[in-house]
Each structure stands twice: as C-alpha cells, then as structure tokens.
C-alpha cells in the first residue's frame, strides 16, 4: 500500500485514496485470491536463480 495514494498528482482523484485506510490501520481489499490465481488456465510460473 502506498501511504498517500495511488497517484502523486494532487489533482488526481487517487492522490490520497489510500490515506483513510492507512490511518485506520486497514489494508485495501485485493480484487483476486490465491485460489482464483491458481485456477487461471493461463497462469505461468518461473523460478529465478542467481
């Protein structure tokens, strides 16, 4: 979460959209779940190594 909002532009409606959640110590609801990600037939995974 960005403390201030999704935008750094003061004219944007998203400028301080995350601030109320942060001040209440809440997290935004994500639009997906682990189950929905795993159920996606186009899901791909990659393992990275150094």
């Amino acid at each position: 979460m960005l403390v201030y909002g999704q935008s750094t532009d003061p004219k944007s409606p998203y400028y301080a959209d995350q601030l109320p959640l942060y001040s209440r110590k809440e997290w935004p609801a994500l639009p997906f779940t682990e189950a929905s990600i795993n159920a996606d037939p186009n899901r791909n995974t990659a393992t990275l190594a150094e």
Side-chain angles (χ1 to χ4, degrees):
M1 173 193 321
L2 299 173
V3 174
Y4 46 85
Q6 296 297 312
S7 173
T8 57
D9 179 2
K11 295 177 184 172
S12 170
Y14 305 108
Y15 176 65
D17 62 345
Q18 301 297 305
L19 194 55
L21 289 172
Y22 181 78
S23 66
R24 292 190 307 263
K25 299 181 180 178
E26 296 177 3
W27 290 99
L30 298 177
F32 50 82
T33 63
E34 186 174 357
S36 67
I37 293 168
N38 290 334
D40 184 344
N42 296 310
R43 178 178 178 258
N44 291 312
T45 59
T47 303
L48 304 177
E50 289 186 41

